[in-house]
Coordinates of all heavy atoms in Angstrom, one line a residue:
G246 N 89.0 58.8 119.5 CA 89.4 58.5 118.2 C 88.5 59.2 117.2 O 87.4 59.7 117.5
D247 N 89.0 59.3 115.9 CA 88.3 60.0 114.9 C 88.8 59.5 113.5 O 89.8 58.8 113.5 CB 88.5 61.5 115.1 CG 87.5 62.3 114.3 OD1 86.6 61.7 113.7 OD2 87.7 63.6 114.2
I248 N 88.1 59.9 112.5 CA 88.6 59.7 111.1 C 88.8 61.0 110.5 O 88.0 62.0 110.6 CB 87.5 58.9 110.3 CG1 87.4 57.6 110.9 CG2 88.0 58.8 108.9 CD1 86.2 56.7 110.3
T249 N 89.9 61.2 109.8 CA 90.2 62.5 109.1 C 90.6 62.1 107.7 O 91.2 61.1 107.4 CB 91.4 63.2 109.7 OG1 91.4 64.5 109.2 CG2 92.7 62.5 109.7
Y250 N 90.3 63.1 106.8 CA 90.6 63.0 105.4 C 92.1 63.3 105.1 O 92.6 64.3 105.7 CB 89.7 63.8 104.5 CG 88.2 63.5 104.6 CD1 87.4 64.1 105.6 CD2 87.6 62.8 103.7 CE1 86.0 63.9 105.8 CE2 86.2 62.5 103.8 CZ 85.5 63.0 104.8 OH 84.1 62.8 105.0
L251 N 92.7 62.6 104.2 CA 94.0 63.0 103.7 C 94.0 63.2 102.2 O 94.0 62.3 101.4 CB 95.0 61.8 104.0 CG 95.1 61.3 105.5 CD1 96.0 60.1 105.6 CD2 95.5 62.4 106.4
P252 N 93.9 64.4 101.8 CA 93.8 64.8 100.4 C 95.0 64.4 99.6 O 96.1 64.8 100.0 CB 93.5 66.3 100.3 CG 94.1 66.8 101.7 CD 93.9 65.7 102.6
C253 N 94.9 63.7 98.5 CA 96.0 63.2 97.7 C 96.0 63.7 96.3 O 96.6 63.0 95.4 CB 96.0 61.7 97.7 SG 96.0 61.0 99.4
G254 N 95.4 64.7 95.9 CA 95.5 65.3 94.6 C 94.5 64.6 93.7 O 94.1 63.5 93.9
D255 N 94.0 65.4 92.7 CA 93.1 64.8 91.7 C 91.9 64.2 92.4 O 91.3 63.1 91.9 CB 93.8 63.8 90.8 CG 93.0 63.6 89.5 OD1 92.2 64.5 89.1 OD2 93.1 62.4 88.9
K256 N 91.4 64.9 93.4 CA 90.2 64.5 94.1 C 90.3 63.1 94.7 O 89.2 62.4 94.8 CB 88.9 64.6 93.2 CG 88.7 66.0 92.7 CD 87.4 66.1 91.8 CE 87.2 67.5 91.3 NZ 86.0 67.6 90.5
Q257 N 91.5 62.7 95.0 CA 91.6 61.4 95.7 C 91.8 61.6 97.2 O 92.3 62.7 97.6 CB 92.9 60.7 95.2 CG 92.8 60.3 93.7 CD 94.0 59.4 93.3 OE1 94.1 58.3 93.7 NE2 94.9 60.1 92.7
F258 N 91.5 60.6 98.0 CA 91.6 60.8 99.4 C 92.0 59.4 100.1 O 91.7 58.3 99.5 CB 90.2 61.1 100.1 CG 89.8 62.5 99.8 CD1 88.9 62.7 98.7 CD2 90.2 63.6 100.5 CE1 88.5 64.0 98.4 CE2 89.8 64.9 100.2 CZ 89.0 65.1 99.2
L259 N 92.9 59.5 101.0 CA 93.1 58.4 102.0 C 92.4 58.9 103.3 O 92.0 60.0 103.5 CB 94.5 58.2 102.3 CG 95.4 57.6 101.1 CD1 96.8 57.4 101.6 CD2 94.8 56.2 100.7

Side-chain angles (χ1 to χ4, degrees):
D247 196 9
I248 297 175
T249 190
Y250 298 86
L251 305 175
C253 304
D255 196 24
K256 298 183 180 180
Q257 297 184 76
F258 292 94
L259 290 178

